[in-house]
Structures are given as structure tokens and as C-alpha cells.
Amino acid sequence: VQLQASGGGSVQTGGSLRLSCAASGLTFSSYAMGWFRQAPGKEREFIAAISASGMTETYGNSVQGRFTISRVNAQNMVYLQMNSLKPEDTAVYYCAAGGRAGVSRSEYDYWGQGTQVTVSS
């Protein structure tokens, strides 16, 4: 199983970025997908999750209303649209695949390598 996250970069406060995660080696449409992030010196934080069918989305409180998760099962892709970015959104962002669209890291079986997002004020 391989999860390849991309799309990170540097942006100013208020800007937008779209992260992508390409999945291979698994039956993508059978897995819930999640995004987490980890800032230096902090624990990995839940950001968003989407059910295998794409019908259910869950968001962390810190990104609710600013970030949107989506997926295209036919392309084995999951996305994270990030708007109204703030300096506190600076972190390495990871995509993950698991059996359910939960908020806990333990619910995910496979992880990508992460992509850096930096938001400057």
C-alpha cells in the first residue's frame, strides 16, 4: 500500500492550498480516508475524514468551515481543499486510510509520507 501526499507549499495568511493524496495497492473504494497534521513539538492532530463512499465527512474543530475533504474513487484520489489559511495551520499534513472515518490515529492502517504546509503572516 502506498499513499502519496502532495500539494503542500508556502502561502500567506488568508490564502488557499489544495492537497492531494494518491493511493495504490489497496481497494480504495473500501477504505475511509483521513487527513492529519503535525506541527513541530505537537501531537498529530485530526483534520478531516471521509467515508469510503464519500457520503460522510468529519472535520476537526480547528478547520471546520475552512477545509473541505473530497475523494474520487475512480481515480484513487483524496483531496483536502484548505481556504482562509492561518499561521497556526503550518504543519506536515498526512493522509491515511482506514476501516472507518474516525478521528483517532489508531483507526487508520496506512499512512502517507506527509507534505509540508507553511503559512506566513
PDB file of all heavy atoms in Angstrom, residues 38-44:
ATOM      1  N   GLN A  38       0.772  17.497  11.730  1.00  0.00           N
ATOM      2  CA  GLN A  38       1.642  17.533  12.904  1.00  0.00           C
ATOM      3  C   GLN A  38       2.584  18.711  12.791  1.00  0.00           C
ATOM      4  O   GLN A  38       3.363  18.809  11.832  1.00  0.00           O
ATOM      5  CB  GLN A  38       2.429  16.225  13.037  1.00  0.00           C
ATOM      6  CG  GLN A  38       3.192  16.104  14.335  1.00  0.00           C
ATOM      7  CD  GLN A  38       3.664  14.690  14.606  1.00  0.00           C
ATOM      8  OE1 GLN A  38       3.717  13.852  13.707  1.00  0.00           O
ATOM      9  NE2 GLN A  38       3.995  14.410  15.862  1.00  0.00           N
ATOM     10  N   ALA A  39       2.488  19.592  13.767  1.00  0.00           N
ATOM     11  CA  ALA A  39       3.386  20.730  13.864  1.00  0.00           C
ATOM     12  C   ALA A  39       4.558  20.355  14.764  1.00  0.00           C
ATOM     13  O   ALA A  39       4.441  19.454  15.596  1.00  0.00           O
ATOM     14  CB  ALA A  39       2.641  21.936  14.425  1.00  0.00           C
ATOM     15  N   PRO A  40       5.698  21.034  14.619  1.00  0.00           N
ATOM     16  CA  PRO A  40       6.864  20.718  15.449  1.00  0.00           C
ATOM     17  C   PRO A  40       6.538  20.779  16.939  1.00  0.00           C
ATOM     18  O   PRO A  40       5.939  21.748  17.423  1.00  0.00           O
ATOM     19  CB  PRO A  40       7.870  21.802  15.066  1.00  0.00           C
ATOM     20  CG  PRO A  40       7.500  22.184  13.683  1.00  0.00           C
ATOM     21  CD  PRO A  40       6.004  22.081  13.634  1.00  0.00           C
ATOM     22  N   GLY A  41       6.898  19.732  17.653  1.00  0.00           N
ATOM     23  CA  GLY A  41       6.688  19.699  19.090  1.00  0.00           C
ATOM     24  C   GLY A  41       5.272  19.401  19.531  1.00  0.00           C
ATOM     25  O   GLY A  41       4.971  19.435  20.735  1.00  0.00           O
ATOM     26  N   LYS A  42       4.390  19.109  18.573  1.00  0.00           N
ATOM     27  CA  LYS A  42       2.995  18.833  18.904  1.00  0.00           C
ATOM     28  C   LYS A  42       2.594  17.437  18.448  1.00  0.00           C
ATOM     29  O   LYS A  42       3.245  16.834  17.606  1.00  0.00           O
ATOM     30  CB  LYS A  42       2.080  19.879  18.255  1.00  0.00           C
ATOM     31  CG  LYS A  42       2.286  21.292  18.780  1.00  0.00           C
ATOM     32  CD  LYS A  42       1.241  22.232  18.235  1.00  0.00           C
ATOM     33  CE  LYS A  42       1.391  23.629  18.822  1.00  0.00           C
ATOM     34  NZ  LYS A  42       0.348  24.555  18.312  1.00  0.00           N
ATOM     35  N   GLU A  43       1.492  16.949  19.017  1.00  0.00           N
ATOM     36  CA  GLU A  43       0.984  15.655  18.616  1.00  0.00           C
ATOM     37  C   GLU A  43       0.292  15.749  17.250  1.00  0.00           C
ATOM     38  O   GLU A  43      -0.153  16.827  16.843  1.00  0.00           O
ATOM     39  CB  GLU A  43      -0.001  15.129  19.662  1.00  0.00           C
ATOM     40  CG  GLU A  43       0.651  14.773  20.987  1.00  0.00           C
ATOM     41  CD  GLU A  43      -0.305  14.049  21.914  1.00  0.00           C
ATOM     42  OE1 GLU A  43      -1.478  13.870  21.545  1.00  0.00           O
ATOM     43  OE2 GLU A  43       0.126  13.658  23.006  1.00  0.00           O
ATOM     44  N   ARG A  44       0.190  14.600  16.603  1.00  0.00           N
ATOM     45  CA  ARG A  44      -0.517  14.563  15.326  1.00  0.00           C
ATOM     46  C   ARG A  44      -2.000  14.821  15.569  1.00  0.00           C
ATOM     47  O   ARG A  44      -2.625  14.188  16.414  1.00  0.00           O
ATOM     48  CB  ARG A  44      -0.284  13.221  14.641  1.00  0.00           C
ATOM     49  CG  ARG A  44      -0.674  13.209  13.175  1.00  0.00           C
ATOM     50  CD  ARG A  44      -0.110  11.999  12.461  1.00  0.00           C
ATOM     51  NE  ARG A  44       1.356  12.041  12.395  1.00  0.00           N
ATOM     52  CZ  ARG A  44       2.082  11.200  11.656  1.00  0.00           C
ATOM     53  NH1 ARG A  44       1.483  10.277  10.911  1.00  0.00           N
ATOM     54  NH2 ARG A  44       3.398  11.281  11.655  1.00  0.00           N
TER      55      ARG A  44
END
